[in-house]
Amino acid sequence: MIIRDFNEAKNTERKVADARWNSVRMLLANDGMGFSFHITTIKAGSEHTFHYKNHFESVYCVSGEGSIEDLATGEVHDLRPGVMYALNLHDKHTLRCKTEMVFACCFNPPVTGTEVHQADGSYAAAD
Amino acid sequence: MIIRDFNEAKNTERKVADARWNSVRMLLANDGMGFSFHITTIKAGSEHTFHYKNHFESVYCVSGEGSIEDLATGEVHDLRPGVMYALNLHDKHTLRCKTEMVFACCFNPPVTGTEVHQADGSYAAAD
């Protein structure tokens, strides 16, 4: 059994960050669960375009307010606590955060922890 | 892209329940994500022994207080918001909820939605 506390993990290398977001990796590929699980916090007023071509991701809003735009269809959906979006079609999307937002995110295949966002908004596939 | 709102889903057949817990299935096997994602609420004062022999499960505490006992080792860990346990060894365990607790849960392989807890605390493997 693995036990991890977000409030401890956020002070370790499990936290990856740039100026506008951070993500605390509660589970990574080497935990052997077949998915990774991240608590991701995004800055108020920021906008992010991602395109996870090599991963499925689900994103559950724990706190905050914002919106998600599906760039294939132009549809915009409000995000608030309890709303989840899932990128079942590897959907290219833009996330806009009105307030600071906290999300519980699952990735399949699991993130290894060393990925960086590429110019196209994706994470590279693991080797 | 799939968009689902817990506050709507909890009033539909996505919610499964018994007297002491309920689980709102935000993602199931047929969503094609390779994992399922559930928001599970457990009653204050209740105790549950589970043994997911056929699944890996991670359980992230969103709210509430309680504990998790690893029945193989006897170790007991406090659960509070931000603490996650992950059953990477299909660990048989007892969950005790001091207050009502809400968890964000991921299952691999994904739950289909028709499983029931068997006498041994497991879900059967999908066919």
Side-chain angles (χ1 to χ4, degrees), chain A residues 37-62:
Chain A
F37 181 72
H38 316 174
I39 300 295
T40 298
T41 303
I42 303 193
K43 222 172 200 176
S46 69
E47 178 178 316
H48 307 261
T49 295
F50 296 124
H51 192 189
Y52 295 118
K53 298 175 182 176
N54 304 304
H55 298 80
F56 296 109
E57 186 194 17
S58 71
V59 180
Y60 179 78
C61 179
V62 174

Side-chain angles (χ1 to χ4, degrees), chain B:
Chain B
M1 185 182 298
I2 298 166
I3 305 278
R4 290 197 181 119
D5 185 343
F6 169 79
N7 290 302
E8 292 173 6
K10 70 182 183 184
N11 300 318
T12 71
E13 63 188 7
R14 289 192 171 277
K15 180 178 179 175
V16 295
D18 83 358
R20 300 180 305 151
W21 60 272
N22 71 72
S23 183
V24 177
R25 275 71 191 272
M26 302 293 289
L27 288 171
L28 286 168
N30 65 7
D31 290 309
M33 300 287 288
F35 56 84
S36 60
F37 181 73
H38 316 172
I39 300 296
T40 298
T41 303
I42 303 193
K43 223 173 200 176
S46 69
E47 178 178 317
H48 307 261
T49 296
F50 296 124
H51 192 187
Y52 295 118
K53 298 175 184 179
N54 304 305
H55 298 80
F56 296 110
E57 186 195 16
S58 71
V59 180
Y60 179 78
C61 179
V62 174
S63 65
E65 282 183 35
S67 68
I68 175 89
E69 178 175 355
D70 182 334
L71 294 176
T73 65
E75 282 179 39
V76 177
H77 305 274
D78 287 342
L79 298 177
R80 56 186 175 275
V83 177
M84 177 205 70
Y85 63 90
L87 306 167
N88 61 319
L89 302 175
H90 305 290
D91 315 71
K92 187 174 182 181
H93 60 284
T94 297
L95 176 65
R96 295 180 178 92
C97 298
K98 194 187 296 186
T99 66
E100 178 178 281
M101 300 191 77
V102 177
F103 299 103
C105 308
C106 305
F107 277 82
N108 168 31
V111 166
T112 64
T114 58
E115 293 86 353
V116 292
H117 283 106
Q118 302 180 114
D120 64 359
S122 75
Y123 282 148
D127 290 335

Side-chain angles (χ1 to χ4, degrees), chain A residues 53-123:
Chain A
K53 298 175 182 176
N54 304 304
H55 298 80
F56 296 109
E57 186 194 17
S58 71
V59 180
Y60 179 78
C61 179
V62 174
S63 64
E65 281 183 36
S67 68
I68 175 89
E69 178 175 353
D70 182 335
L71 293 176
T73 65
E75 282 179 39
V76 177
H77 305 274
D78 286 342
L79 298 176
R80 56 185 176 276
V83 176
M84 176 204 71
Y85 64 88
L87 305 167
N88 61 319
L89 302 175
H90 306 289
D91 315 71
K92 187 174 183 181
H93 61 284
T94 297
L95 176 64
R96 296 181 178 91
C97 299
K98 195 187 295 189
T99 66
E100 179 179 278
M101 301 191 75
V102 177
F103 299 103
C105 307
C106 306
F107 278 82
N108 169 32
V111 166
T112 64
T114 59
E115 294 86 352
V116 293
H117 283 107
Q118 302 180 113
D120 65 357
S122 74
Y123 282 147

